[in-house]
Amino acid sequence: MTLSNSGRDQPIRAPATAQATESNSQWQQQAAQESKGTPPPPLSKDGLTVKPLYGAGDLPPETDSAVPGVYPYTRGIRATMYRGRPWTIRQYAGFSTAEESNKFYRANLKAGQKGLSVAFDLPTHRGYDSDHPRVEGDVGKAGVAIDTVEDMQRLFDGIPLGDISVSMTMNGAVIPTLAFFIVAGERQGVPQNQLTGTIQNDILKEFMVRNTYIYPPAPSMRIIGDIIAYTATHMPKFNSLSISGYHMSEAGATVVQELAYTIADGLAYVDAAMARGLAIDDFAPRLSFFFGIGMNFFAEIAKLRAARQLWAVAMKARGAKDARSWMLRTHCQTSGVSLTEQDAWNNILRTTIEGMAAVLGGTQSLHTNSFDEAVALPTPFSARIARNTQLVLQHEAGLCDVVDPLGGSYYVEALTKQIADEATSLIAEVDEHGGMAAAIEAGIPKMRIEQTAAARQAAMEQGETVVVGVNKYANDSEEQKYDILSIDNTAVRQQQVSQIEAVKQQRNATAVQAGLEQLEATASSEARGSDAGDNLLHAAVVCARAGATLGEISLALEKVFGRHTASTRPIAGVYGSKRAHDPEFQETQAAVAAFADRYGRQPRMLVAKLGQDGHDRGARLIASSFADLGFHVDVGPLFATPDELVRRALDGDVHVVGISSQAAGHMTLVPQVIEGLRAAEAGDIFVVVGGVIPRDDYDALYEAGVGAVFGPATNICLAAREVLKGIEKGLNAGVQA
C-alpha cells in the first residue's frame, strides 16, 4: 500500500523504533539458527562494550541533523574537509645534529611532505646543554640536539620559515626552544607574526606518563600561561599549545582514558589562562590537539569524533563566542607501541590501518610511523615507506572524496556516543578531585593508565589479544634483516660541545649575563603579561638574541622554580590478578618461591632508568609484574647516572639490576654500570637490559657483561625464569669462589 506525496508514491514506513525492534528480533532468530544456540554475546574491547550487531535503534537522536562544519563538529570542523584541502602530511623526525636533520627534512619536503615536525633529543627536552655531565649517553640519540640559536638556524637552513609550518614536540625546555625558533626566524628575515606552526607546550601529561619535565607543576603552568599570552599578542598564526593524548596512549591508556584526560588537560590550560585575565576567544582559536591512533580501528575513528563534540560543548559552556574556539583541531600519529620487533614488515600494515582510522576520524595532520621504530629511529628507506603510505591514502584510496564517509553508520555513531559518555564520566571524576592538576598530584590518571597497561600485557601473554607474528602466526623462518639507523653518540656530543664553545667565545658575555639576570627576575616576579618584565618568553627571547644557550636559560629558571622529582612507586596486583589461574604464571611464581626457600630471602631486583630517558612504561610494568611473581622489587629514580645506579644497587643488596631503555643510551651507559659494579667487587650482580634494543646491539651488550637482553613484546614469565637462572648462576659462582 502506498500514499501519494507531491505526485510521487512513497512506501508507508513504520516508526524507526518499531523497525529496529522488528529487525533485531529477526536477526536474533537467524543468528541463533546459524550458531545452533544463542547469538554471539557482546564483548569488551579496550574497555568498551561492543555488540555483534547495530541498527537504527542505536543511533543517537541528533544523528540525522549532524553535518560537517557545524557545531558541535562531530562530523568534522570544516564543511568540505578533505574535498577542500587534504590533511597535512607531517612526519615527526629529528636525530643526531642539526645539519643531519636538516638534510632529512629537505629531502622529505622535496618528496611531498607538507610540514615539519621536530623531534628533539632528551638533553634538550630536559634543559641540559650537550656538555652537561648527566647527558653523556643521550646527545643526539632520540632526536636532534639543540643547544644554541645557531643550532636552530642550521636545523632550518634553506627551509623558509615564512612558508613552512613547523611543529615542535617540546614541553620541559619550551621557553628556550621557542625563543630560539623566534630568533632563527628573525635571522631569516621572518618576523614573529608570520611564523606558523605549533609548540606542544603540554606539561600536565608529562607528569602523568612521559616525564620530560623540568620544573614542578605550579611554575610549569606559569610557563604555559606566559607562552599563551605572548603568542596571542605577537604570534597570531602560531599554535601556542598542542594538548597531547598520544603519550597516554603509548603508556597504555584506553581510548576513553586518552580522550578524557586529554580534554581535561586542555580545559585546565584554558581555565588557567582565563584566571590570569586572558579572554578565551583571544587564545582558544590557536589551541590544538595531538592524539595517538592504535589498532582498535573503529574506536579510534569514534574517539576523534567524540573529541570534537566534547571540546565544542565545553568551550561554549566556558563562554567562548568565536566558532574557532569551539573547533578541536588535531594532529595524529600512528601508534609506536603497536609496532613489533618480530616480523617487523607487518608494521607497515598496522601503520596503514591506523593511518586510515585517523583520516576517517577527521584529523588535520598525520604522522605515520616507520616499520623499524620498534627498535630504532627510522632510516631514510623506512621513512620513505611511511611517508608514501600517506601519499597512497591521499591520492589513490579515495579517502578524500566524501566528507565523513562513516557519518550515520549505526556502529560508528553508537560508538562515538559511548566513548563520549564514558569520557565525560572520567572528566567528572577529575573535577571531583579539584581539576586535572590536583588529580595528577594525587596520581589518579597515572594509576588508571598503569593498571590498563598491566592488564593489556597479561592479555597479550595469555593470547586473549592476538598480535600477529608475536603470540600467534609466528614466522618460523629466518627473519628478513633490515638496516638500522645508528647514531654515533660520542661524535655528535663532541661536535655539539665544540659548537657551544665557539658560540661562547664569540658572544657578548655581559649582554648574556644581563639577559639571564632579567630572566631570573621575571621568574621571581608575581606579574603576568605578554611584554618585557613580566613574561618569561619575552625575557628568554632577549637572552637568545644575546647568545645564551638552552642550558643557561633553563638553569636561570631552575634557580627560581627548582627541578621536579617524581614518585617511583609502582602499582601492584593487576598483572597477577589477570594471570592468577594461568599455569605459566603459577609455575613461575612457584619457581620464585622455591628460590626464596633455598636462599632464605626473595630474589631482589632493582628496576632502573638511566640518563634522560623518562619513558617508564616498560620499567613500571616490569616492576609491578615481577613483584606479583614474588620478587622483592626496588624502583630506582628516573634520570639516574651509572654511578648513582651502582650506589643504589649496592645499598639495596640486590641480586639483579634490570635496566629499561627506550632512547638508545644503553650502549654508552650500561657498560659503565657493569664497570662500576665490578670496581665495587659486586660483579656477581646479574645485569639485564630490556626495551627498544636493536638486535645488532645484543652482542656488544653481552660482551660488556650483560646477562640477558629482552626486546619488545617479551613474555614476562619467561623473562623472570631466565633472570632467576642468571641470579642462581652468580650466587653459585660466588660460593665456589
Side-chain angles (χ1 to χ4, degrees), residues 551-671:
E552 289 171 334
I553 294 173
S554 298
L555 181 59
L557 297 175
E558 185 180 340
K559 288 177 181 177
V560 179
F561 296 152
R563 188 171 274 267
H564 180 68
T565 301
S567 167
T568 57
R569 186 181 63 190
I571 62 167
V574 176
Y575 177 84
S577 66
K578 293 291 184 181
R579 299 204 65 182
H581 303 293
D582 184 342
E584 185 176 67
F585 178 83
Q586 293 171 346
E587 290 170 13
T588 307
Q589 206 171 38
V592 175
F595 176 98
D597 289 340
R598 280 195 300 275
Y599 296 100
R601 63 177 181 143
Q602 295 170 280
R604 298 178 68 90
M605 182 179 196
L606 170 59
V607 177
K609 297 287 295 184
L610 284 171
Q612 300 307 305
D613 176 13
H615 297 85
D616 64 346
R617 169 183 177 165
R620 298 180 77 88
L621 178 60
I622 290 297
S624 60
S625 56
F626 269 60
D628 288 352
L629 285 165
F631 280 70
H632 180 283
V633 179
D634 175 25
V635 182
L638 291 171
F639 316 120
T641 66
D643 287 344
E644 290 166 348
L645 180 55
V646 168
R647 286 197 297 273
R648 190 169 184 117
L650 296 175
D651 291 344
D653 190 22
V654 302
H655 297 107
V656 57
V657 172
I659 300 171
S660 172
S661 175
Q662 193 173 336
H666 53 272
M667 294 298 287
T668 302
L669 300 175
V670 173

Side-chain angles (χ1 to χ4, degrees), residues 73 210 235 408 466 496 600 610:
Y73 307 106
R210 190 165 175 251
M235 304 173 71
V466 174
Q496 290 299 120
L610 284 171

Side-chain angles (χ1 to χ4, degrees), residues 293-294 296-298 300-301 304 352-362:
I293 304 295
N296 194 348
F297 184 74
F298 290 104
E300 295 292 357
I301 295 167
L304 297 184
T352 302
I353 292 167
E354 292 167 350
M356 287 181 63
V359 171
L360 291 171

Side-chain angles (χ1 to χ4, degrees), residues 381-393:
F381 169 73
S382 64
R384 180 171 63 85
I385 293 174
R387 182 187 63 250
N388 287 350
T389 298
Q390 292 201 53
L391 291 171
V392 170
L393 291 178

Side-chain angles (χ1 to χ4, degrees), residues 121-135 138-139 145-147 173 176 213-214 500 549-552 554-555 558 563 611-612 639:
D121 74 352
L122 291 169
T124 304
H125 274 288
R126 295 269 295 145
Y128 293 118
D129 287 335
S130 296
D131 59 359
H132 197 284
R134 297 193 74 89
V135 303
D138 296 308
V139 178
I146 299 293
D147 297 307
Y213 45 69
I214 301 175
I500 292 171
T549 68
L550 178 136
E552 289 171 334
S554 298
L555 181 59
E558 185 180 340
R563 188 171 274 267
Q612 300 307 305
F639 316 120

